[in-house]
Amino acid sequence: MVFEEVEVVEHGYDRKKLEEEFDNLPEASPIADIDPFKGDIIATVGAIALDYLDLGRDDVLLDIGTGRGRWAVAASPHCKKVIGIDISKRMIEDARSNAENSGVTNVEFYRGSFEDPSEEVDLKSKEINKVIAIYSLHHLTDAMKSETLTKFVSLIQRPGTIVIGDIMWFDNPNNHRDEWDEVYYDDNETDHPAPIHFIREVFEKAGADEIEMVQVHPLVGLICARFL
């Protein structure tokens, strides 16, 4: 896939700033809603991502950047266990309340980050074979995306699947400036989306046996990497 290159200026990953942003999100924020299927772009890409996971009764799913746990709760009836991690203490508290209010008992939530996913729990011991990340990976610089995705590839058991649904460039974002708000792209210090071909190359180097890409919007889509 080829498109006119856009100059991307990476300000760097600021975990403290990102934590503060999510700790102070308003209750009605679409970025961390508890309704997984409310109809916006996040709900659309998330629903497709769940389908691509092809969850079964023996699967253990890791939800990275779980927010208020909407995808963890939505996935829970279809697999053995879901583990959600997030850097925001408030999001984790809200996720636990969401699960309790939903009557879900096979989900666990812990504080964890891209750089230290096992901050509160040894994820390697959880026998994870499926991973989902909805609208969270774009907060990382490209170098961190590569490091983080490689880390999660080494974490999952085989056969395993990793599905990323997020802001990712299928076209030059400057051609779609009037749609940035629609896809929740702020072009600020905490957003660092990458071209889809970059994410694909990371999975190829990490040894993915099968890779599928789905464009939902010129600036949003998903990539599914399977390890057999």
Side-chain angles (χ1 to χ4, degrees), residues 82-139:
V82 186
I83 299 151
I85 61 171
D86 202 281
I87 62 171
S88 167
K89 291 181 179 180
R90 179 193 166 195
M91 290 295 103
I92 291 298
E93 291 170 358
D94 288 354
R96 289 170 178 159
S97 295
N98 181 21
E100 183 177 355
N101 293 336
S102 301
V104 172
T105 59
N106 63 332
V107 297
E108 302 172 2
F109 296 104
Y110 303 96
R111 195 155 182 250
S113 62
F114 288 108
E115 61 270 35
D116 185 12
S118 295
E119 194 170 315
E120 286 188 347
V121 61
D122 178 13
L123 292 177
K124 195 70 175 178
S125 69
K126 294 294 184 177
E127 300 182 334
I128 295 162
N129 68 320
K130 301 283 176 78
V131 174
I132 190 171
I134 305 298
Y135 258 70
S136 56
L137 197 73
H138 72 272
H139 293 298

Side-chain angles (χ1 to χ4, degrees), residues 36-37 41-51 71 132 134-135 165 222:
F37 308 116
I41 191 74
I42 300 177
T44 299
V45 74
I48 297 171
L50 286 180
D51 284 342
W71 303 112
I132 190 171
I134 305 298
Y135 258 70
L222 69 84

